[in-house]
């Protein structure tokens, strides 16, 4: 059995990452090295990712991470079958750093370049970690994206739903910022919510019950702000109660939206038997529990890759590169980085969507 071996680079947001992954003919994968440098500390005092700082930090960290990944994997450049880099969507300065580095390595070592869509990498991770067969439904919930995608095959995606305003991770981060909790906000909100009373505040559950499965979180964010402002100065108990109420609203909304997507797929004759979750928010325990319950009731298998592979990492880029190369796809060295790169270019804008959706 032959294997292909890919170096993957990720620089689209605030993680700089390099990984080496193999893919065997039977479709099974292995991670030989997965180096991630999180820039969280460099952005924390701004309460969010600063694009220029991110791009500079990628430049400084990437060479070291690539060297470390190859050393850990015990693989030389000459032994690689291809070089993959996330070519978008993302912060363009960072994307340029990773893609240009991958092009230089590919050119010097005469290897194919695979320009990977970062969203496709999230979408295919469950095939690396859990051998998930096609097709499946993907719930992608990160700081930048909130989408439901029908994953038919490598390169074949149908967007079922998106957010018309904020991404779910962004809603967690903004809630945390408002309450004076640290960045990134998701883990802080989840921690604070543990001791809180989820019934104390009645927060809106946007889009609930609508047949089309789109998301919206900006109304919820406004309601959280109003609840917080009405209580200033906030006690720790107030913060815990707001976080618990916010998280309960989020979970109820997401479960309802995923439920609507399952119904819509089944209605269209799509065989919805598996739900894969990806993105940083997949680490949230309350969301996981809600999805577990939903999938049991609707008879779907729930697949949640390990947290380190749900958040941004190099292994997912290398793996998507391997999946593409195995099908004969590679890209020219003049491939342009893309700030925007929808997985399903045929998807219509969601009704009421702002420019970010
Ligand atoms: O996928 P990711 O690492 O980066 C991208 O945005 O692409 O996702 C980061 C997001 C942040 O918004 C963070 O607050 C959120 O994931 N997050 C969580 C949790 N852990 C991370 N949100 C809710 N609960 C968590 N435990
Ligand atoms: Zn991501």
């Amino acid at each position: 059995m032959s294997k292909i071996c890919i170096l993957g680079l990720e620089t689209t947001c605030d993680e700089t990452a390099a990984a080496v992954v193999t893919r065997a003919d039977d479709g099974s994968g292995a991670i030989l090295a997965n180096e991630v440098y999180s820039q969280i500390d460099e952005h924390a005092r701004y309460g969010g990712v600063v694009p220029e700082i991110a791009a500079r930090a990628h430049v400084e960290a990437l060479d070291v991470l690539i060297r470390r990944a190859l050393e850990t994997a015990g693989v030389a450049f000459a032994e690689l079958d291809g070089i993959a880099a996330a070519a978008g969507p993302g912060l363009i300065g960072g994307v340029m750093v990773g893609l240009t580095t991958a092009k230089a390595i590919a050119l010097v070592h005469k290897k194919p370049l695979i320009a990977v869509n970062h969203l496709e990498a999230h979408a295919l991770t469950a095939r690396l970690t859990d051998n998930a067969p096609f097709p499946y439904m993907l719930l992608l919930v990160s700081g930048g994206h909130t989408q439901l995608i029908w994953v038919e095959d490598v390169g074949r995606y149908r967007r079922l739903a998106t957010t018309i305003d904020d991404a779910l991770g962004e809603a967690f981060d903004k809630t945390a910022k408002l309450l004076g909790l640290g960045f990134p906000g998701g883990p802080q909100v989840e921690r604070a919510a543990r001791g809180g009373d989820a019934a104390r505040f009645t927060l809106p559950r946007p889009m609930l019950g609508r047949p089309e499965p789109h998301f919206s979180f900006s109304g919820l964010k406004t309601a959280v702000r109003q609840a917080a402002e009405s209580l200033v100065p906030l006690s720790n108990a107030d913060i815990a109660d707001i976080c618990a109420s916010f998280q309960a609203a989020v979970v109820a909304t997401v479960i309802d939206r995923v439920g609507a997507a399952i119904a819509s797929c089944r209605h269209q004759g799509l065989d919805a038997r598996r739900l894969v979750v990806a993105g940083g928010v997949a680490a949230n325990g309350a969301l996981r529990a809600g999805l577990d319950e939903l999938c049991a009731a609707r008879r779907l298998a729930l697949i949640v890759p390990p947290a380190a592979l749900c958040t941004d990492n190099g292994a997912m880029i290398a793996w998507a590169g391997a999946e593409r190369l195995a099908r004969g796809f590679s890209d020219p060295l003049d491939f342009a980085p893309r700030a925007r790169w929808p997985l399903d270019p045929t998807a219509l804008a969601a009704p009421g969507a702002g420019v970010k959706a």
Side-chain angles (χ1 to χ4, degrees), residues 7 16-20 32-38 60-75 77:
L7 171 69
T16 317
V20 179
L32 305 188
N34 192 21
E35 300 287 333
V36 182
Y37 166 67
S38 170
E60 281 166 23
L62 192 56
D63 289 5
V64 178
L65 291 180
I66 293 171
R67 198 175 318 130
R68 230 192 272 158
L70 291 172
E71 268 170 28
T72 306
V75 168
F77 281 123

Side-chain angles (χ1 to χ4, degrees), residues 187-239:
Q188 313 272 356
V189 170
E190 181 172 21
R191 200 170 308 128
R194 257 174 228 141
D197 173 10
R200 177 159 163 210
F201 301 96
T202 311
L203 298 174
R205 276 132 172 85
M207 315 295 260
L208 214 70
R210 299 227 195 149
E212 76 285 2
H214 295 303
F215 299 87
S216 164
F217 296 107
S218 76
L220 179 56
K221 177 184 66 189
T222 307
V224 166
R225 194 180 60 236
Q226 284 165 349
E229 281 170 0
S230 72
L231 294 170
V232 169
L234 295 168
S235 68
N236 284 343
D238 293 333
I239 291 176

